[in-house]
Amino acid sequence: KVCVPIEWEIGKDVMPLFARNSLFLLAVLIAAALGGCHYYKETIPETNTDDRLFGIWRLVAMQRPGAAEERIGPEPAYTLEFATSSRLAGRADCNRYFGGYERDDKGRIKVLAIGATQAACPPESIAGEFLRMIDAATQFEFRGTQLRLLGGDGSALVFVR
């Protein structure tokens, strides 16, 4: 038995089936790669050489807009890790989260597209509020050994190592 490739005739041109499949696969891969690109209007150039931001931080206090700062205990864990690759990740009570960020040497920060697991945390959990405040952060500053993420609405998250 002789195997002959299946061919598709287009007028006088003949294109083997495997070539059509390869072209289709290439077109799908290019479309997927381009479809995954995101462009942000206001990008913040990363010019900050201060590496104090990098590493794992633990939440110790939260300040809601117009309210006094409230201490947060060590359990359940609320953490934030900044990587040098403009990626962030951490723990929000019973969930894990990840995303990206941009920053500059003036203390401005922009958090990009946070994703998180969706485990059902206890009713008293502040995980959702914590993630919203990280997402809304516009500034960061250091006060002694603390990292403070500040929102434009007067909110703040206070972290220590």
Side-chain angles (χ1 to χ4, degrees):
K1 189 173 186 180
V2 178
C3 294
V4 179
I6 299 172
E7 297 179 339
W8 179 37
E9 292 190 279
I10 305 175
K12 294 183 179 179
D13 298 329
V14 176
M15 180 180 288
L17 181 61
F18 71 89
R20 282 188 306 155
N21 289 342
S22 297
L23 289 175
F24 177 74
L25 180 60
L26 180 62
V28 168
L29 289 175
I30 290 172
L34 293 177
C37 296
H38 296 284
Y39 298 96
Y40 299 93
K41 290 182 181 179
E42 296 179 34
T43 59
I44 300 174
E46 187 166 335
T47 57
N48 193 338
T49 57
D50 185 349
D51 63 357
R52 292 182 294 170
L53 186 64
F54 305 132
I56 300 173
W57 297 88
R58 181 178 54 85
L59 183 69
V60 294
M62 172 186 281
Q63 183 175 357
R64 294 170 176 92
E69 193 171 282
E70 175 186 338
R71 304 296 298 162
I72 305 293
E75 292 296 327
Y78 293 90
T79 64
L80 173 60
E81 179 177 5
F82 288 100
T84 57
S85 61
S86 295
R87 303 295 304 159
L88 61 83
R91 187 168 168 190
D93 195 347
C94 66
N95 287 299
R96 301 226 177 250
Y97 67 93
F98 52 90
Y101 70 95
E102 297 172 345
R103 66 182 181 136
D104 70 9
D105 59 353
K106 294 181 174 87
R108 292 183 302 175
I109 190 164
K110 183 176 184 179
V111 176
L112 310 171
I114 288 184
T117 58
Q118 298 294 312
C121 297
E124 66 274 5
S125 176
I126 59 168
E129 185 176 15
F130 173 71
L131 291 174
R132 284 189 297 277
M133 290 174 78
I134 288 176
D135 192 46
T138 58
Q139 294 281 131
F140 70 93
E141 65 182 18
F142 297 100
R143 286 191 188 168
T145 60
Q146 295 181 339
L147 165 66
R148 297 177 64 87
L149 284 185
L150 310 171
D153 59 359
S155 62
L157 294 170
V158 182
F159 298 87
V160 296
R161 292 218 188 257

